[in-house]
Amino acid sequence: MDPANNNNNFETNFGLDIFTNLIKQNSADGDNSNLIISPFLVEALLALLYLGSDGKTAEKLKAKLQLQRFPNNAKMASYFAGNLAAITQTSPDTQLEMCSKIFIDEQFDLDVEFQKIAYKYFLTQAEKQNLCHAKNLEDLLKNCLQETLKKSQTNLHCPTDNCKALLLMAANFRNKWFLPFSAYRSGLYDFHVSSDCVKSIPMMLDNEMFVKFVELKEMDARAVELPYEHDDEISMLLILPNKRDGLRELEEKLKEVNLSTISEQMQMESVQLLLPKFQIDFECSLKTILEKLGFSLLFGEDSNFKNLLSPQSASTSLPIADVLHKVCLDVNESGSESSTVEASKPIVISNCIDTRQKFFRADHPFFFAIRNRDATYFMGHVVKF
């Protein structure tokens, strides 16, 4: 198997496991919101923890992250470094604003070599902080998000007092479409949130966009791939169930599918494309989800982070209080960025679309992923406005 596809397949499956569990968790809490996570960035942070671990903790992380797919640790670190560089260092128009942090309480000492590896290969800062009080943690999170994402508002729940370690992974992806939409063709269309809820929302229209498209008959869905202006072929893959209420069923089927396989089935077509403009600012705790997925050892007193802490440390046990995750995405005519194009005042446009040609009409809940052949950087769904 192609190593790139193997890695991407793992990230897709790993991400969908987190994703579907989050959906169930949010539904149980009565929250049916738009959602986005970064499988790649969460995996990278956990892989870095593996390099800082020892004993059973290392064995568990290696198994759960399937790190045996890499010949050695150096190859593994290079894989993450290369794919982080692909999305952070290519051009001024392509930028992943990210904040990846490993905080440990000031009673511990960090291993200097681990700190160097964390920053060089994983763009992660491992640092000592006063984590003893929840108020200190709250201020710390707000400062980090303000510095990197220019966002200080957060509803992330801080662990209780006497926290020993905390992980934070936050990201904001910005990029321009290779084929931008015309702001002057945007207008108000009906979005079918559910069978009894229809909202008129701003949507983007292109009658003849030449992009990759496929009918996924076995999934009762269709997919389109919108390329970004990027040397590494990063694109947004959008998958739309044919049934307006079919997203939950589609996402269950996606757990058995490699997204690369879907991309390989696509052909360049002239597509009549209708897509909502949307913003997602999603944040969550991943602790409960990761415990369900077999990572519970990270959060217990039996955790062993011998290679993360300095040799002088009295104990190698460093239970992680939580893994906090935040992702922001703004999709509009220009791409995934703050819009610089002033659209005319939206007007209600006819919903008539010529069904004789290929069409992708995202007027009901849909799934999306931002990826290239090597990595699935983000995945999410849009379900309401």
Side-chain angles (χ1 to χ4, degrees), residues 18 54 82 166 168 191 240 267 307 334 347 355 357 383:
I18 296 175
D54 198 24
L166 179 68
L168 172 65
F191 186 90
L240 179 73
Q267 301 290 331
N307 297 316
S334 300
I347 58 174
T355 56
Q357 75 171 118
V383 297

Side-chain angles (χ1 to χ4, degrees), residues 270-287:
S270 177
V271 180
Q272 195 170 55
L273 184 63
L274 186 69
L275 180 67
K277 298 199 290 185
F278 62 91
Q279 292 179 318
I280 305 181
D281 188 339
F282 180 79
E283 53 189 29
C284 65
S285 160
L286 291 179
K287 179 180 178 181

Side-chain angles (χ1 to χ4, degrees), residues 48 51 84 100 102 112-126:
L48 174 59
L51 294 179
L84 283 168
S100 182
I102 297 177
V112 175
E113 285 304 311
F114 176 83
Q115 287 179 293
K116 291 179 180 177
I117 290 171
Y119 190 74
K120 179 178 179 180
Y121 292 97
F122 296 85
L123 301 183
T124 296
Q125 292 178 309

Side-chain angles (χ1 to χ4, degrees), residues 258-307:
N258 183 345
L259 295 184
S260 294
T261 302
I262 293 178
S263 292
E264 289 165 3
Q265 297 177 43
M266 293 179 140
Q267 301 290 331
M268 296 298 293
E269 303 275 5
S270 177
V271 180
Q272 195 170 55
L273 184 63
L274 186 69
L275 180 67
K277 298 199 290 185
F278 62 91
Q279 292 179 318
I280 305 181
D281 188 339
F282 180 79
E283 53 189 29
C284 65
S285 160
L286 291 179
K287 179 180 178 181
T288 302
I289 305 298
L290 290 173
E291 286 176 331
K292 287 182 180 179
L293 297 181
F295 293 89
S296 56
L297 187 59
L298 300 179
F299 306 101
E301 293 292 338
D302 292 335
S303 63
N304 183 343
F305 288 103
K306 175 182 177 181
N307 297 316

Side-chain angles (χ1 to χ4, degrees), residues 207-221:
N207 280 322
E208 295 181 307
M209 184 173 282
F210 196 59
V211 290
K212 289 184 177 180
F213 175 88
V214 68
E215 293 274 3
L216 301 168
K217 294 182 180 179
E218 69 283 1
M219 303 180 73
D220 195 19

